[in-house]
Amino acid sequence: MTSFIAVKGHDGSRFVILKMKRPTLFVFKPGQYAFLRVGDIDRAWHPFSIASDPDSSEIEFYIEVFGDGSWTEKLFSKLKNDKRQKLDIDLLGPYGTALVKEESYTNIVAIGAGTGKHTVEQ
């Protein structure tokens, strides 16, 4: 099951909050990312940081929308215009290195900034 929210900020910023059921074998650590593909938009894979807790039953992505005509803008428009639609999303990953190699830490604060524009064509 996939749920999503298209959010518009008071300053004009736009975000998509995307949540999906975590596949049983999809094991990830903090700091990793996954590729998403929405066939209704295009066939390219798009990388996004995983925002959920590794022990959660869901995978969450917080996607900043930027640029007219961009993939993220197309996703935002699609979700904003019809909140009842079914969204088929392909998930590939996880990728990247975990934030911490040591398991001895009980709390970690990580601050990230910026968005990437890299896509992988298939």
Side-chain angles (χ1 to χ4, degrees), residues 4-105:
F4 46 82
I5 302 168
V7 179
K8 190 168 189 177
H10 63 81
D11 62 352
S13 61
R14 298 175 295 167
F15 293 87
V16 171
I17 300 171
L18 182 65
K19 296 180 182 184
M20 63 182 72
K21 182 172 173 28
R22 183 174 60 89
T24 304
L25 299 177
F26 192 91
V27 178
F28 66 95
K29 294 186 185 248
Q32 291 190 297
Y33 64 96
F35 285 92
L36 302 177
R37 179 171 63 182
V38 179
D40 289 347
I41 297 175
D42 66 15
R43 298 299 299 159
W45 291 95
H46 302 269
F48 294 99
S49 296
I50 302 168
S52 53
D53 184 305
D55 295 328
S56 175
S57 62
E58 294 182 320
I59 300 174
E60 296 180 45
F61 298 92
Y62 292 80
I63 301 170
E64 182 180 6
V65 177
F66 56 91
D68 290 337
S70 69
W71 185 86
T72 56
E73 196 276 328
K74 290 175 186 174
L75 177 65
F76 181 85
S77 295
K78 182 173 188 49
L79 301 180
K80 180 185 73 166
N81 292 331
D82 187 1
K83 296 186 186 323
R84 298 165 305 179
Q85 71 179 326
K86 181 180 177 188
L87 186 65
D88 289 325
I89 300 174
D90 296 320
L91 175 68
L92 187 63
Y95 293 99
T97 305
L99 289 174
V100 177
K101 302 284 186 201
E102 297 266 341
E103 298 293 330
S104 62
Y105 295 102

Side-chain angles (χ1 to χ4, degrees), residues 47 66 115-119:
F66 56 91
T115 58
K117 294 186 179 183
H118 178 73
T119 60

